Amino acid sequence: MRPDPQPARPPLRDAGFPIPPGRDAAREPLVPYLDAVRQGLLMIDRAGTVVAASAPARRLLESLTVAPLIGAAALPLLRALRDGSAPARRATLRALRGALARRQPALFEVRRRDHTVQVELHPLAEGGWVVTLEDVSTRKATEARADAMARLDPLTGLPNRLLLRERLAEALERLARSGECCALLLIDLDRFKPVNDTLGHPIGDALLATVADRLRSTVQATDTVARIGGDEFVILQAGIRDAAGTQALARRVVDLIGRTYMVEGHLLTIGASVGVALAPADGTDADRLLKNADLALYRAKLDGRGTYRFFEPEMDARMQARRKLELDMRQALARREFQLHYQPQMQLASGTLIGCEALIRWRHPDRGLVSPLDFIPLAEEIGLIVPIGEWVVRQACRDAVTWPDPMSVAVNVSPAQFKSDRLVETIISALAGSGLPARRLEVEITEGVLLQENDRTLQTLHRLRELGVRVSMDDFGTGYSSLSYLRSFPFDKIKIDRSFVKDLTSKPDGEAIIRAIAGLGKSLGMTTVAEGVETSEQMQRIRLEGCTDVQGYLISKPVPAEDLRQVFAAFPQA
C-alpha cells in the first residue's frame, strides 16, 4: 500500500519569501539549508500558512506534542504553543494576537513537562513571518537553581532575608484574603561573639549550623526558619490561632538554644533572646512586623537576655525617645552642653583635700540636667563614649591646673576608650595642652576594662604609669576577680564601692569587708578611698577600719569647677 501523498510544499517565492539570485525554488529549495541552523525555524506566508519547517523546529515541536503541517494554517499551531496555566495561557494569546495585528515581534515561552521552548516571531517587510524556536530547558534549569541558591543561606541552608521576605509577603496575603494570622520571632544569639573570637570562625560556623538544625526541629512544616545575619535568625510561624502557641514556640526556642553544644570537641554554651510580633495585632506589612519584633528583641536583651518578649505599643514610644536622646547627645558635644562637676576626696590622717573626681553632667536646653545614668549607658552602646571621654580628660586637665598643687584630678575611663587605641595619645595631648603635671592626673578604671583583652590592657596601663599618671581601681570588690587584677598590675589606689559603705549600718559583715580591703591595700602599698560617705558615723567606722581617704556627701557633693574655690577654702591646706 502506498502512503498518502504529502501536500505539495508551495514555492518560497510564492509564499512571499525572497529567493537568492541564481537559485531556483523548485529544484533547490532553502529548507535543507535551514536544517543546519541550531535554532528551529518556521516560515509562514502572507496568508498565515506554514510553508517551511526546519528539522530542529519539527523536533522541538514534537517534544511539545505539537505537529507542524506544511501547507496548514499557522494560527492553530501558534495557539497550541501556550503554557499550561490559565493566566499564562491568556497572557500569551493576548501578546500573540497583538503582535499579529500590529505586525510586531513577539517573544514567549512554552513549557511541557521537562521541556521549555522559547518562541520568537519576526514579521517580514514583504509579508509573512519567520518563527524561531530554541530549547532553553538547560538554561532555565540553571537559572532556577541559581535563583533558588540566591534565596538560601550558604552556611546553614536556611532561607535568607530575600526568601523570608517572599514567604512573609505570602503569609500577609493569606491574612488579607482569609484572616489566617502569623507571627514573627526574631532570634539573636547571646554570647556567640566570644566563641568566634576565642575559638575562630570555623567553630563559630559549625555552631551556627547546629543552631539552625535545632531551630528546624522545633517548628512545623508550614513554618519558615531563616538566617538573616551573622547570629540572627527568624521564625515565621504560619496559621496561628492565638498567642499561646507562639509563646510556647518562643519558650522552646530559648530552652533549646540554651542547651549545651559539643562542636568539634569543644563544649559550648550560648543563649537566645527572642522578640515576637504578631500579625495583624502588631502590623499587617512586613517592615512594621520586623521593626516591632526587633523592638521586642531589644527589650528581651535589656531584661537580661536568655528570654523572650512580645511587642507592646509602648516599646515603640520608648525607642523613639531613645533615638531622640541619641540625636541630642550627638549634638551636645558640638553645642558644649556637657560640663564637669567635681567631688573632693579627703585624706583622713590630715583632714586635707588631696584631689577631686571629675563627674560629667549634661545640661540640655530643654531636658534640663540629664542624669549620667540616663545617657552614659547609651553613649557606651553607640560608641559615643570615646569622644565624650576624650573631652572629659582634656577639660579635667584644664580645670585641675588651676587648683593648688599637689591636688590631683581623677577621671573615669571606660572599656571602650581602652579599645580605641587613642587613650595614651589623648592623655599625652591633654597634659601637654593644659600644662598639668602627669603626677596630678589619676585614671580610674573598673574591672570591666580588665575583663577585655587583658594583655593589651595591661600594656596600656603600664604606658600610663611610665608617663607618671596614677592608676586606681574603681568599685573594688563588686567583681569576681579583683584580687587577681591587683596581682597583675600595681594600682596606686583602691576605691571601695559605696555599697559596702552603705552596708556599715545595715549588715554586720560590712565592717569586716572594709577592714579586709583596707588591710589589703596597706599591705600592697596602695591608698584606699571609701566612696559614698554620708554620715559622721560612717566616717568614724571607716577611720577605725584603716581606710586612708574618703569621698562622699559628708565631705562635699559634686560641684561645678567655679564653685570649688569655696569648697577648698573650708578645709586646711596641705
Side-chain angles (χ1 to χ4, degrees):
M1 178 181 295
R2 294 182 178 180
D4 295 335
Q6 295 294 321
R9 179 178 299 172
L12 297 181
R13 189 188 311 277
D14 295 341
F17 292 90
I19 301 298
R23 292 189 181 275
D24 181 88
R27 289 184 295 108
E28 198 174 2
L30 292 180
V31 172
Y33 295 93
L34 300 181
D35 291 346
V37 179
R38 179 177 58 85
Q39 292 177 315
L41 292 173
L42 286 178
M43 294 183 175
I44 303 170
D45 65 10
R46 296 188 187 94
T49 302
V50 177
V51 296
S54 68
R58 291 194 297 273
R59 287 194 298 269
L60 286 174
L61 290 171
E62 287 169 0
S63 72
L64 299 174
T65 66
V66 177
L69 296 175
I70 305 302
L75 190 58
L77 173 65
L78 295 176
R79 284 176 177 166
L81 300 176
R82 59 181 183 263
D83 203 348
S85 65
R89 182 168 60 249
R90 287 192 293 268
T92 299
L93 290 177
R94 280 197 302 270
L96 180 57
R97 291 191 189 100
L100 294 175
R102 293 187 293 271
R103 295 196 58 76
Q104 293 177 341
L107 178 68
F108 55 93
E109 292 178 354
V110 183
R111 296 179 182 86
R112 290 289 191 281
R113 296 185 298 275
D114 56 347
H115 285 281
T116 302
V117 175
Q118 181 175 281
V119 181
E120 191 168 0
L121 279 72
H122 297 276
L124 298 175
E126 298 82 357
W129 296 77
V130 172
V131 181
T132 62
L133 301 98
E134 181 179 3
D135 190 341
V136 293
S137 304
T138 302
R139 189 186 79 198
K140 286 295 179 180
T142 302
E143 291 175 353
R145 286 194 297 269
D147 187 62
M149 292 302 296
R151 287 164 167 75
L152 295 178
D153 172 50
L155 175 63
T156 63
L158 293 175
N160 61 12
R161 187 183 295 270
L162 177 61
L163 184 52
L164 173 68
R165 283 274 186 172
E166 294 175 356
R167 299 272 178 88
L168 183 53
E170 294 169 0
L172 293 175
E173 287 177 5
R174 291 194 300 272
L175 171 65
R177 187 172 61 250
S178 63
E180 180 183 306
C181 301
C182 61
L184 271 183
L185 291 82
L186 187 57
I187 304 161
D188 187 77
L189 301 185
D190 304 327
R191 302 183 303 278
F192 174 76
K193 187 176 183 299
V195 174
N196 259 352
D197 293 344
T198 58
L199 300 178
H201 289 282
I203 299 296
D205 289 348
L207 177 58
L208 288 173
T210 307
V211 168
D213 291 338
R214 290 191 182 184
L215 290 175
R216 284 190 190 96
S217 71
T218 196
V219 301
Q220 302 292 327
T222 55
D223 299 336
T224 297
V225 180
R227 179 180 177 227
I228 62 171
D231 60 350
E232 283 190 318
F233 296 82
V234 173
I235 295 177
L236 170 60
Q237 188 183 29
I240 64 172
R241 292 191 175 91
D242 53 47
T246 303
Q247 184 179 25
L249 175 58
R251 190 182 295 115
R252 287 200 308 272
V253 167
V254 171
D255 173 67
L256 198 60
I257 300 304
R259 296 180 186 177
T260 304
Y261 299 78
M262 179 61 74
V263 179
E264 298 186 17
H266 298 277
L267 200 62
L268 306 175
T269 302
I270 58 174
S273 299
V274 182
V276 184
L278 302 171
D282 302 329
T284 55
D285 65 88
D287 289 336
R288 178 163 292 278
L289 282 172
L290 286 166
K291 172 192 169 186
N292 290 342
D294 191 48
L295 290 172
L297 173 62
Y298 179 74
R299 185 65 195 182
K301 292 180 179 179
L302 287 181
D303 289 347
R305 301 177 181 270
T307 187
Y308 63 89
R309 289 291 180 268
F310 279 73
F311 171 76
E312 298 171 358
E314 57 268 23
M315 292 179 180
D316 192 28
R318 284 197 297 267
M319 185 56 68
Q320 296 298 332
R322 179 184 181 275
R323 290 195 182 100
K324 181 65 169 61
L325 181 65
E326 177 183 337
L327 180 60
D328 288 350
M329 186 164 51
R330 291 187 183 279
Q331 297 172 340
L333 268 176
R335 295 176 177 175
R336 299 184 179 180
E337 294 172 1
F338 291 117
Q339 57 184 236
L340 294 182
H341 286 199
Y342 296 93
Q343 187 169 36
Q345 299 171 345
M346 188 186 78
Q347 187 180 70
L348 283 171
S350 63
T352 59
L353 298 182
I354 56 172
C356 299
E357 180 182 0
L359 302 168
I360 191 169
R361 298 291 185 266
W362 179 12
R363 191 169 296 279
H364 190 274
D366 300 321
R367 300 174 186 267
L369 198 62
V370 183
S371 169
L373 296 176
D374 293 332
F375 70 86
I376 290 297
L378 178 58
E380 291 177 341
E381 183 180 338
I382 64 177
L384 201 58
I385 194 66
V386 173
I388 292 177
E390 291 181 356
W391 175 84
V392 169
V393 171
R394 296 181 188 278
Q395 186 61 45
C397 290
R398 285 193 292 265
D399 289 340
V401 78
T402 65
W403 303 345
D405 193 359
M407 288 187 66
S408 63
V409 62
V411 294
N412 292 279
V413 176
S414 72
Q417 287 176 268
F418 268 82
K419 281 186 173 182
S420 71
D421 293 327
R422 295 183 353 209
L423 178 62
V424 176
E425 287 72 18
T426 297
I427 289 176
I428 292 173
S429 174
L431 292 173
S434 64
L436 183 74
R439 59 182 170 79
R440 294 179 59 190
L441 177 63
E442 183 178 305
V443 170
E444 293 186 359
I445 66 170
T446 63
E447 290 176 343
V449 171
L450 291 165
L451 281 171
Q452 303 177 4
E453 302 182 39
N454 193 270
D455 293 339
R456 182 179 175 186
T457 300
L458 290 176
Q459 183 181 8
T460 301
L461 292 175
H462 282 292
R463 288 183 65 192
L464 294 175
R465 174 63 64 78
E466 291 168 2
L467 291 175
V469 174
R470 291 187 292 175
V471 182
S472 65
M473 178 178 283
D474 198 9
D475 300 335
F476 183 82
T478 58
Y480 66 89
S481 54
S482 301
L483 296 180
S484 66
Y485 294 146
L486 292 183
R487 293 182 61 190
S488 61
F489 182 79
F491 289 90
D492 296 284
K493 182 183 292 186
I494 302 172
K495 300 192 73 175
I496 302 173
D497 187 70
R498 65 183 63 249
S499 63
F500 298 118
V501 175
K502 183 180 179 181
D503 288 346
L504 279 174
T505 57
S506 60
K507 295 184 179 179
D509 58 356
E511 291 182 353
I513 293 175
I514 292 179
R515 186 185 311 124
I517 297 175
L520 179 65
K522 183 177 181 181
S523 65
L524 295 175
M526 304 174 186
T527 58
T528 51
V529 182
E531 295 183 289
V533 178
E534 298 180 354
T535 67
S536 298
E537 181 184 0
Q538 290 174 340
M539 171 87 82
Q540 183 61 26
R541 292 190 181 188
I542 286 169
R543 188 190 302 272
L544 292 174
E545 300 307 334
C547 290
T548 59
D549 305 329
V550 292
Q551 176 182 340
Y553 272 48
L554 184 64
I555 310 304
S556 172
K557 66 179 182 180
V559 298
E562 56 268 22
D563 296 340
L564 276 176
R565 187 179 300 273
Q566 297 177 1
V567 177
F568 292 164
F571 290 84
Q573 301 300 308

